[in-house]
Amino acid sequence: MGICHSDPRVVEASVRSLRTLNSSPLTPSAPIFDDSLIIPKLVELLSSSFSNAECAASVLSKCCQGPEHQALLCNMGAVNALMPLLVCDLPKIQLPALLCYATMSFQNGAVSLAMKSASHQGQNLIQIFTKLLSRDRPEEIQLGAAKCLTNMHRAGAISGQENRPLLIKILATAVRMCKWDKSLTVRVEAAETLAFLIEEDTDLQRTAAISDHLIKTLTGFLVKNGLDDSSYALMRESAFKALASVGANDEDIRKKIIDIECTMDHVVSGLEDPNTNVKLAAVKCLHSLSRSVQQLRTSFQETAVWKPIMKLLQDASDNMLTVASSALCNLLLEFSPSKEPILEAGAVNLLSNLTRRQETALRLNGVWALMNMAYQADDVTKNKILEVLGPDQLFSSLLDDPDTQVTMKTLGLMRNLLSGREVTVEK
């Protein structure tokens, strides 16, 4: 095996070859981690020459897939081994190190905490990342540092309350990198990073919404402007994700997004896009925007957005089905004009089938949507729900389901079937 050879020239040639091979998305990552000798050697090479370290970091960042790989790299000492690469002031060396840190920390609390406690030459890793956010750094370096800090924050290693100024700085960096004077790759990565950063933080969503015309910038991503199909797909996917996060919790922000000309048309076309990633991102955006009471009564009716959603629900992956059924819950609220045509399109059968699925999220969405459907419904609709769902499944959801939320929504469904006086709840 070349990278374990005694001749350093063979080692360098081998690690360069590995980097080249793994630069292709078609190269499988498993073999690198399946061989017990390769990972320790690659981590060792991080402390070798800059040339070897750059190649080793690139390979590790490309091949690290999932919690087991992340934990292995952390246990092998990659967190500390990468730190000297960040302070070398050579962007070609810093960037693969940042990518490796970002890959290791994504949705991994243990690795993120290990990164938080790491230090080099009197500086901890968070301080080093923060310095790399400086505007005098190359754009890719700023964005790489922002992504690492975002991942650490979302994994619980950086508190939102104690580190508010830092989060605002990360947000400002991501917003700035979305502008049209940046490269397409940078804009896409910036929008993805921003979406993840603010996804669950209402205050950050509000700050983002008033930052440097961000909403107008993101909706601009949805216009093709001469891009080739693959580049346009990346732009649309990242824009839908970011818009979904920005508008997740604030009615005024959602209205601001929808009021921009053709936004809803772009969302609807995204629901029918042949690219699965674009389609899923568009469904997430629709789900976020469908929380708007006012827009359910206007824009959503005008664009007949329920049609592609119902089509999606007929044949979708579990991930797509979960998000699409969440959006359907909102489209079935009592005041939504889409409710009647959705009923006519066979929603009762579809939702009843969801209540029988093994996945908790799908069972919950099925019962939740049926509860909304039954609110103040006529006897024909209620009888249809009872007939299709059946008393056995209804009582099974009530008495046997292990998830408390499913039980509570089933109670709501039963009350609405009996009286029609209970309030529906947006999802």
Side-chain angles (χ1 to χ4, degrees), residues 192 232-242 275 277-278 281:
E192 296 259 4
Y232 184 43
L234 291 172
M235 293 288 282
R236 296 179 86 198
E237 179 187 353
S238 63
F240 285 138
K241 288 180 179 178
N275 185 303
N277 292 331
V278 173

Side-chain angles (χ1 to χ4, degrees), residues 117-129:
S117 62
S119 62
H120 178 72
Q121 296 179 346
Q123 298 181 90
N124 64 45
L125 196 47
I126 293 177
Q127 291 172 324
I128 295 173
F129 286 148

